[in-house]
Structure formats: C-alpha cells, structure tokens
Amino acid sequence: MAKAVLTPQAANFPAWYQDVVARAELAETGPVRGSMVVRPWGYAIWELMQADMDRRIKATGAVNAAFPMFIPMSFLEKEQEHVDGFSPELAVVTHGGGEELAEPLAVRPTSETVVNHYFARWVQSHRDLPLMLNLWNSVVRWELRPRLFLRTTEFLWQEGHTAHATREEAVEETRRMLEVYRRFMEETLAISVVTGEKSPGERFAGAEHTYTCEALMRDGKALQMGTSHDLGHNFARAFDIRFSDAEGEHRHAATTSWGTSTRMIGGVIMVHGDDHGLRLPPAIAPHQVVVLQLDEEAEVAAAAARLEADLRGAGVRAHLDARTHTSFGRRSVDWELKGVPVRIELGARELVSGRATLVRRDDRSKTSAPLDGAARAAVALLDEIQDGLLAASRTFREEHTHPVTDLDEFTARVGEGGLFLAAWSGAEESERVLGERTGATIRCLVDAEPPAPTCLVTGEPARHTVLLGRAY
Amino acid sequence: MAKAVLTPQAANFPAWYQDVVARAELAETGPVRGSMVVRPWGYAIWELMQADMDRRIKATGAVNAAFPMFIPMSFLEKEQEHVDGFSPELAVVTHGGGEELAEPLAVRPTSETVVNHYFARWVQSHRDLPLMLNLWNSVVRWELRPRLFLRTTEFLWQEGHTAHATREEAVEETRRMLEVYRRFMEETLAISVVTGEKSPGERFAGAEHTYTCEALMRDGKALQMGTSHDLGHNFARAFDIRFSDAEGEHRHAATTSWGTSTRMIGGVIMVHGDDHGLRLPPAIAPHQVVVLQLDEEAEVAAAAARLEADLRGAGVRAHLDARTHTSFGRRSVDWELKGVPVRIELGARELVSGRATLVRRDDRSKTSAPLDGAARAAVALLDEIQDGLLAASRTFREEHTHPVTDLDEFTARVGEGGLFLAAWSGAEESERVLGERTGATIRCLVDAEPPAPTCLVTGEPARHTVLLGRAY
C-alpha cells in the first residue's frame, strides 16, 4: 500500500484542498499576492471545459470577440451601482510608456462598461438586434484572502454580453444562459446544481436580476458556479444604447451579461475529490484512460501501444505510461492524484493470461477484460463513471438539504454544513441579520412552497423560499 | 456595378488598410490609446489561426499553461538586457484594492521572467527536461504610433517557453519552432516567408540569437511575422534554473522562447487584400463558402438550404445568406469585403437552368456547376484558391527581391519598396548608418552567397548576406 499523500478530508478540508491542487499539479500561487499559475494538467482541464462551453454558447447564436483589458476609470463611473460594486477591488494602471497617464486606467474587473460603450456604436436599428457576444479572457479583482481557483486576483473566464430590443427578450436570454450553464455543469462537470434568482443583497452591481447556479461541496459549503444577469436598461441608459424600432421610434436596448470561470475547477475538485486525490469526470479528463505498462519487455510494450491505439481509435483520450523504471506504486498514486478515470494495467502476467486489469478511479474497483476487448470495456466504464459522479453529486446535495423553520435551530445546525430551505419575507435588512448571526447567506430563491408561513429571520409573512448555506 | 467602397491600394495604401479593417468589421480602435477591439469577424479568423497553430505546437510536445499578467518589477530587472529592452514600453500598476502597492507591478510585456522563475522551481533533475510550455494570452507594450493588428498597446498572441539540458537542444528547439511557424504561414496563411537570423541590432532583449519569419506586403514593405529566440543561459543564470545531470553535476539549463500574434492578421490583410477588400485563404476563412439565396420563393430557399447542407457534409464551413430583402449588390460587396473565398449564387433562374453560379474571391471569376455538383465544385475551388494565394505571394516576393551592391543605388531604389539582398560586414555600427541613410533595416541574415565581396555600407569584407527593406 502506498502511504497517504494528502491530508484526509475529514481531518482538515482546506488543507486537503491545498494538497490536491499542489500534488495533482493543477496550479501554484503566483509571484504577486492572489495571483495563480495554472499548470499544464490544470490548464488541460480548462481547455476541455472551454471547448465544451464554447460550443454550447455558440449554439445559442453568440459569437466571440476580444475587448481591451484597460478601461478608462470614467467608463466605470457611468453606472453608479457598478462603480460602487467594483471600486475597492480594482487594480489601477497609472504609468504607461515611461510617463504618468492623464487618466488612470482600471484593469478590467469585468467588461460591461467597455462592451456597452461599443454596443452604443454598433446598435442603430432593430435589425442590429439581438447582438450577442462572448469573450474569453482574464479579469482582475483584488483579493485579500485568495484561494487557488476559488478566489484569485486574476482569473480566467468567459463573459457574455448581449443587447436586445425588449426587456422580455433580455430576460429570456438571461434564463437561457442560466440553463446552458446548468446543463454544462451537470452533463460535463457531473455536478448537480440548484438554479435560482439571487436576493438583492447578493445581486451583481448594476443588475435588475441575477440568476445563479449553486453547488454543494463535500465539506458542506456552497459554491456559486456561474451567474447570469438581467441588466434591464441600466447600462443602455448609462452608455446610450438606442435603436430605432420598426416604427422608427428611438428606444433603449435591454442588455444582459453572464459568466463562468476557472472557479468551476475548484468546484470539480471539491465535489468529486476524495482522500486519494482528484476524481475527474471523463468529459473533462485530459487523459481519460492511462495504460500502465508494467514491464519493459518488447512484447509488453507492443501490446500496451496497441491498446493505446485501440483506445484512440475508439475516440478515447488515452495516454501510455511506459515509465517502467519508475515504481508501480508511485505511478498509480500519481494517476489517482490527477484523477484519471480509468487505469489499465498491462504487464507480462497479463499477456500470459490474455486479460488486462481495469481500475476505476471513482470507486477504485478492479475488473479484468480480454486484451482485445479492453478498449471497449474502458469506453463502457467511462460512461458509467460520468453518470455515477453526477448521480453521487445529486444524492449528496439532496441528502444534505434540510428545511428549517426556526432561527435558533438553524444557527445551531448551520455549522454542520449543508444547504437549508427556509421561508423569507424578502426584507433586505434580514439578509444582514442572517449573515451576522449565522455566517450563512441566501444562495438563491427557489421555486418551492415555503416550509413555514413566516420568515425564518423576521417572523413577517413569508414571500419566498430561499436556499441558505455558508459559502466559498 | 457597386461603387468602390475602399480607397484604392495604389492611391493610399495605409488608408486602404484602415478602410478594409473597418469595412470588413475586423477590428476597431479601443477607448484607450493604442488598444484594439477585435470584432467577431476578425476574432473568428484568429480562432481558426489559433486552433491550427495550437495543434502544430502540441505536435512538438509542448503543453499549454497560464501565467499571471502582473509581474513584479524586480523580476524584469533580473536580466539586464531584458529590462533595458522593455522599460520604456511598460504599463505599470501602482494601486490595487484601494491602496498604493509596496512594489509596482508591470503588466506583462512578455513572460520570460515569470516563466523562468517557475522553471527554476520545477526543474531539479535532467529527468525534468525538456520542459516545453506554451501560453495563449495578451501582452502590453505601450505604443505611441499604434496601427490595428500591426502595432497595438495590447495584443493577443502565443508565447512558447522551453528549458533544455544543453545549448544544442535549445538551438534545435529554436529552429524547430521557426520551421513550425514557416510552415503555418505558408500552409495555413498562404504567405511565403523568408526565414533567417536577426542581426544584433534587431535581436530580442536578452537573447543570444533571434530567428524570424519575414513577409513582403503588397506595398513593398516587410513585416516580421513571428520570432524564435535562443536565450542561451542568460535567463537560466538570472533565475537560477539548475538541474543535476546524469552524473549528478549541477548545471544551468538552456532556454528558448518563441511567439506569434494577431499581427499575422495584418499580414494576411496586406499580402492578400485587393481593392475589393480582404481575400482570405480558405484555411482561416470563418465562412469558406457563402450561399447567396437570390429569391425568396420556397423552392429557392429549400435548394439553398440543401446546398448549404451539402457543403457542410463535405466538411466546408458554409453560410447561407438568406437576406433576400437586402440588395444583391450590397450583399455581394459585403462578402467580398470580408474575403469569403467562394460565393455561390442561387435564385429562381438557377433553379430553372439547374446550374448554380460560383464566384471566386481571388480572381473574381465566375463558373457554373450543376446544382447537385456545386458542393464538390466549391471544394475543388477552395483548394485552388489556397494554393493560388500562396503561389501569388511567393511570386510577388521573388519578383520584388533585388540584389544591390551599391549604397547610393540602394538609397535611390529603397523607396520603390521590395526586399534587397546585400553583402554585410557584420559591424553593428553599420546597422545604424544604414537605418539613418535609407530608413531600411536588416530583416535577417540569409543563407546565400553575398552579391558583392564587400559590405554595402562600410566597404569592409563581406561576412554575411542580408535581406534589407523598410518594414512595419
């Protein structure tokens, strides 16, 4: 048995998380506080997520573009709530080309302002609408308590920005993208999420409505995995995005924005990971199957290469590990740490028996298959693993979601972790009280009967059912 | 006939360039001086270039990663020549999170310093080498005379960084990547390039040797399209990248870097464009074929949709333009401006005759093909166009490359444009004299017999043959 290389989750979940990120070679702390170096294994996961998400976004009719990272401070100030929301987080460029700049520049914390500035130039007629853009870039928000992938000063993401003729269409777009995100998270990341509207206290600065995807991590804390914002006419008014409608009337467009980031990698780690390391859903595994060549004999090497070719022929991202001079234990521990879904062990013994050993990463169970059927057996396992991880994520979330009707009971139980359903009056002040008393926040409003007739916090008549929890 | 929408190339090439960039909706000036918004058509071209280049880079064994955009100033200062080279171009962040920073941060002008800092952590043994990374990101170099795609304060690019056990391996990598670039430019961009070493005056700050791909634009000016740098032990010494070799001796690694950027889009515009707009090589055309539906009748719409499906079935990026309420002239001019390689016109008349009209963008010639053979005919045209553009680029470059043996003659002729082959002594001072007298630079050293026994500038014995020209 290889000795444990990670702090166990039960002993110290944050230490386990740091260990996995380091040992699976996903990322490292950057040289500037809060910044991050995404190492090749982490970046390969991101590339697969990007490619999948990009296809889904383009299927909605949006197209990609690029906008500058430097934004004049005056742009940010045009939408008051927006500048208030981002001011304390900005990185500011004051010098360029060896001189002090006349106007300081913000490094984009998000691109609503600059995109909507250009929307105003590009949108003249109703025939220019809808205008649907997506950007893949990185943004900067100064972080005092950084954590790799979850909260870093600079992070990689996609940000969508759209303009529509009517509020109705913009709301429809906001919800469509929330659904695109939900399906991506479930189908690709194998993470079950709750979707719903954010409360006013958690809304994006400048939005009329913010919708979110919330997932439950294995330590019982919630993680916001993606958001979609109905910006109403706020940015269109601030940046003067007007179009002439079919009757020749000039009207303001309605805009939206929506984003997901490398934070989702943090979610994948904390939803699927176990005490042996990462467990990657096959859809985003850079190597879906590793063929572990156990002996250096030419016949073994040939059989291992043949199996790798079979797997590739079957559309599998296969990798042949022929490092026979490195110990079996070290190699198998490494691939477990890195979360490779299936490992196939193939040595002289397997050649004699005519059967290879397949090891699943999810439950670490072993099966064997005839050499010429091993690729097919691996493909079947990959499907099972992808489905199994999602099912486990859904079961875990459901089993750790509880209705609560009494604030004292909630305060006592919130430390156990998990999500809680409660009745809420909708009073903004109660959000603050809730946070101060329990450390929990309203993750989102959900479409369900309130578990009590009166608000958990204020005792006023219940107007909403909310999902509560402590969050990253 | 549609009237000319662009300034003719012969009348004013820079104005023509600006017109094409604007009218083909490739890019716009950003809100901050020197910055750029890449619009969807320009970005779609970039995405195709990226995907193709990314495959080629990965085929060499390099893998992708991401590094932070903020670099401590002290990192840049570790390699003296490097900091001297970039200091006047830096954008500097002095404030973050509402406070003045203790150490100002440079926005990366290129990532050698931060990447080599991490190489020093990751490289311990000869078994860790070679280490080959590639980054897709944007970098910032303050530009006082910006020009879209060619020279912008922020630009999109890829930067490769590798570390090797020996100088020989590093030199081999530098040349391998130069060859990857050359083949990409010829096979994908259909641009014929000259490759060679840069003279000391044009070398990358901190490199031992810089190799370049140089192309000739239609106005007779040269464009540097990509560079590959042998960094020797310079960065390894500055950042202390050492490894223990097979004998246990500690030695410095040798490193390289290499990069190409959105500047190549400027090259595509200026090598292939004509007075009707862009001419895109099929390999990077977002729409390779546009089916122009001429009439709105249901049968025409059905036939056009069928043709689009045929084309997609044949692996063609096809687009159906069914905007029958927009004039034929405007639509055909638009697709010519945007450089779509083949346009297929299909209306009621074509349905009657059973033949569609195919229009090539390169020579604007028309042919016709039976409706059920139109997709096959278009595929054949795409191959011809890709090959023809490369051949034309090669011919143009060759016909505009002249040997010169006399400085006065060169000074008189350099204004005509084109490239010139000359004998050079290798004396650094002569590069300055050459520039001041002629406005030309040494584009690169080439592997050919000098056209004269003595240096064009100094009259000293010739040691190299150099390619001269005025450049972007």
Side-chain angles (χ1 to χ4, degrees), chain B residues 93-170:
Chain B
V93 175
T94 54
H95 291 72
E99 290 182 4
E100 185 162 359
L101 302 174
E103 181 184 7
L105 305 174
V107 181
R108 68 177 158 231
T110 178
S111 303
E112 277 76 7
T113 56
V114 61
V115 170
N116 283 277
H117 172 82
Y118 282 85
F119 276 7
R121 298 168 61 149
W122 298 332
V123 173
Q124 304 295 330
S125 145
H126 62 99
R127 282 182 295 270
D128 299 324
L129 296 171
L131 181 53
M132 300 162 69
L133 298 187
N134 179 56
L135 326 177
W136 289 101
N137 57 32
S138 71
V139 287
V140 169
R141 300 173 189 178
W142 213 259
E143 278 295 347
L144 297 176
R145 295 174 306 150
R147 206 181 288 207
L148 292 174
F149 292 119
L150 299 174
R151 215 170 33 232
T152 49
T153 288
E154 180 189 1
F155 55 89
L156 301 169
W157 78 339
Q158 62 68 215
E159 49 175 323
H161 299 276
T162 69
H164 306 266
T166 65
R167 272 301 302 277
E168 292 67 36
E169 282 177 56

Side-chain angles (χ1 to χ4, degrees), chain B residues 31 119 195 332 406 413 423:
Chain B
F119 276 7
T195 58
S332 52
D406 179 84
R413 290 186 63 185

